Amino acid sequence: MYALVDCNNFYVSCERVFNPALRDRPVVVLSNNDGCFIARSEEAKAIGLNMGAPAFKSRELLREHHVAVYSANFALYGDMSARVMKTLDDFAPDIEIYSIDECFLDFSGFGRFDLEKYAHEIRRKVRRNTGIPVSVGIGATKTLAKAANRMAKKNPALGGVSIILSQPQVHAALEAMAVEHIWGIGRQYAALLHNHYIHTALDFASAPVPWVQKNLHITGVRVQEELNGQSCLPLELVRSPKQTICTSRSFGRAVTSREELQHAVAHFASRCAFKLRTEGSRASLITVFASASSYADREQRYRGTQSVSIPEASSDTMLLVKVAERALESIYREGYQYKKAGVMVSAIGSNCEPEQLSLLLFDTDPSPAKQERAGQLMQAVDALNARYGTGTLRVASDNVSGWKSRQERLSPRYTTRWSDILEVKA
DNA sequence: TCTGGGGTCCTAGGACCC
DNA sequence: TCTGGGGTCCTAGGACCC
């Protein structure tokens, strides 16, 4: 048995914790560069502000309804998430943090408990500890717990808790759920299913397995089994190291100069190197991409991508920046209005794996002593940045001034920066 | 003026091996 | 008339998730 705890309108709820005046008001949170809606309060949904829709198209609506608009404040949301997860950890022997606002709880053997009461206690405790409202769904499999959670959210009469365990409960829940709302069924598969007269989760659960295998492959078969109460998605207790790491941003304004693009790429490469070090990993393939607006006229569109592999996996900022800048050289074209760029690192291995013998490349001295020093330098850099703030110490080419994403409605980092709190007080 | 930023898994098909 | 029968590895692309 599993429970899925999901924070309600998480980013909006985070903003409301620190600004109670936002309660009962329509509130939205925008994506990076203040582009799209990525979180909406119930009031904002009711007005017709859609998930993922570009904000500039709804400017009238926003003004008309006095909607409170915020730039995404991931420092705040990440910290609030950690507090929610810490609270949930006390409620089950094992938990899986599935996303920034969702957590699966292992409820194996919890059948003898009063689950309804227990779920409400979870809600009460998270609310008291963090101020964040959550919904709880309980089912025999993760997919059923997901479905239950959706019901809890959609039906206010349930008080934020939904349990689908008995056969009639499961039957009724699946019958009421459209296929496109099943976890693991996206737009494409939903369209295919509807074309074959499979409209509800119940229809899908009883569809012929060979047909599902043929058209939705093994992942679709698993979803089907999960709906039928057979668990095939176990709780993932340890997160395996990432296989790819990507840092990319849309620019606050169009960038045309090679130099500013270099600054951006150096910044993204530095972030990737830092993320690698946080994971205890190293990468040996670096991919750089830069693109002009994909909404521009056809002749003004451009997207360049270049990958460079290095002979020895690394998480050294200086090396990755150097390699990324070289990759950028080969894709930069004069005369385009660049709107976005990014760096991706892959072919990732663990720090613990034995190193290959170095080759004399990239004019870096590969002697073990120098590598050792480079590692120590990165440790020192990370320690200083952790203490004094990201970006305190960085390579000179890592410069955000020319291209920085728009963040015009950013709230203070209430829980992670003293300086931001002092600002609030002032 | 203005449209996010991350990830995962699976499959098909080609190159290559003996 | 007829043209083997296994494998593995890699990559691109398509689906999905938040």
Side-chain angles (χ1 to χ4, degrees):
Chain A
M1 196 188 327
Y2 298 92
L4 176 66
V5 179
D6 192 321
C7 302
N8 300 347
N9 315 326
F10 181 53
Y11 299 164
V12 165
S13 296
C14 288
E15 301 292 347
R16 279 179 168 167
V17 167
F18 296 93
N19 188 350
L22 297 174
R23 280 177 213 162
D24 306 316
R25 269 188 70 187
V27 182
V28 295
V29 175
L30 304 179
S31 61
N32 268 325
N33 216 27
D34 293 347
C36 306
F37 302 122
I38 56 170
R40 305 155 300 150
S41 70
E42 295 305 321
E43 299 81 3
K45 291 175 192 174
I47 295 168
L49 301 173
N50 294 324
M51 192 69 174
F56 74 91
K57 288 189 176 174
S58 301
R59 218 171 0 178
E60 293 296 308
L61 220 48
L62 293 174
R63 194 168 41 218
E64 198 179 315
H65 291 88
H66 303 101
V67 179
V69 179
Y70 284 87
S71 303
N73 185 344
F74 290 112
L76 174 66
Y77 310 152
D79 186 68
M80 291 302 287
S81 171
R83 291 166 194 243
V84 170
M85 302 307 171
K86 188 161 179 290
T87 300
L88 294 177
D89 200 26
D90 289 340
F91 283 94
D94 285 312
I95 67 168
E96 174 189 340
I97 299 171
Y98 176 68
S99 74
I100 194 167
D101 71 331
E102 284 174 76
C103 187
F104 286 104
L105 277 59
D106 183 358
F107 269 19
S108 307
F110 277 34
R112 60 202 162 85
F113 292 171
D114 181 343
L115 290 171
E116 181 98 28
K117 201 172 148 199
Y118 197 67
H120 282 291
E121 176 61 16
I122 291 175
R123 277 172 49 84
R124 196 190 62 78
K125 195 85 171 261
V126 174
R127 187 68 181 250
R128 196 194 65 190
N129 286 4
T130 68
I132 300 290
V134 300
S135 302
V136 183
I138 297 173
T141 66
K142 282 179 162 183
T143 307
L144 288 169
K146 266 272 192 188
N149 192 289
R150 187 183 157 81
M151 289 176 63
K153 280 225 172 91
K154 294 286 161 193
N155 188 349
L158 294 174
V161 172
S162 168
I163 301 172
I164 50 175
L165 287 174
S166 74
Q167 196 45 49
Q169 282 171 336
V170 175
H171 192 278
L174 297 187
E175 196 169 32
M177 189 159 90
V179 282
E180 54 266 40
H181 297 136
I182 303 170
W183 188 42
I185 302 297
R187 262 229 293 274
Q188 303 300 318
Y189 285 154
L192 176 79
L193 292 172
H194 281 300
N195 283 338
H196 287 81
Y197 306 101
I198 297 168
H199 301 299
T200 69
L202 190 63
D203 296 338
F204 182 64
S206 51
V209 177
W211 186 88
V212 175
Q213 163 75 53
K214 180 164 179 283
N215 292 280
L216 290 84
H217 315 294
I218 185 67
T219 36
V221 175
R222 278 188 209 133
V223 171
Q224 197 182 25
E225 286 183 358
E226 285 252 320
L227 288 176
N228 287 316
Q230 210 176 93
S231 179
C232 359
L233 305 172
L235 216 60
E236 292 184 19
L237 300 178
V238 283
R239 192 179 63 73
S240 36
K242 288 182 168 54
Q243 300 167 39
T244 62
I245 289 173
C246 179
T247 307
S248 76
R249 288 288 178 279
S250 296
F251 300 147
R253 58 170 176 80
V255 165
T256 52
S257 82
R258 182 192 301 258
E259 199 188 359
E260 278 178 343
L261 209 49
Q262 275 170 352
H263 290 167
V265 165
H267 180 76
F268 302 144
S270 301
R271 291 298 301 167
C272 284
F274 172 73
K275 291 177 188 176
L276 281 168
R277 294 195 294 272
T278 309
E279 291 256 319
S281 298
R282 291 187 283 217
S284 56
L285 186 65
I286 292 96
T287 303
V288 175
F289 58 90
S291 55
S293 171
S294 44
Y295 302 94
D297 293 339
R298 197 158 286 282
E299 65 273 16
Q300 288 169 29
R301 285 185 215 170
Y302 171 69
R303 181 186 164 91
T305 303
Q306 178 67 50
S307 298
V308 177
S309 64
I310 53 177
E312 188 176 315
S314 174
S315 60
D316 182 284
T317 297
M318 258 101 79
L319 176 60
L320 295 190
V321 166
K322 202 179 291 184
V323 174
E325 288 184 343
R326 211 178 54 182
L328 177 66
E329 280 306 306
S330 70
I331 56 174
Y332 178 78
R333 302 275 180 279
E334 198 95 29
Y336 286 105
Q337 307 255 314
Y338 292 92
K339 284 296 292 179
K340 182 178 179 168
V343 172
M344 195 161 88
V345 294
S346 50
I348 287 176
S350 150
N351 269 345
C352 308
E353 282 161 24
E355 293 181 25
Q356 290 176 15
L357 283 179
S358 299
L359 300 172
L360 289 165
L361 283 166
F362 302 113
D363 59 273
T364 56
D365 184 339
S367 74
K370 276 238 170 163
Q371 281 186 7
E372 174 75 23
R373 279 214 297 276
Q376 288 171 350
L377 175 60
M378 288 302 114
Q379 267 182 29
V381 169
D382 292 345
L384 283 166
N385 285 336
R387 177 154 179 189
Y388 296 106
T390 309
T392 300
L393 198 54
R394 57 183 194 274
V395 297
S397 50
D398 168 0
N399 181 340
V400 302
S401 63
W403 56 271
K404 200 154 70 81
S405 296
R406 255 194 311 274
Q407 283 186 306
E408 287 168 2
R409 313 298 310 267
L410 191 61
S411 54
R413 293 162 292 181
Y414 297 101
T415 60
T416 53
R417 278 288 151 217
W418 290 112
S419 54
D420 281 20
I421 302 176
L422 297 176
E423 211 170 279
V424 175
K425 206 170 154 230

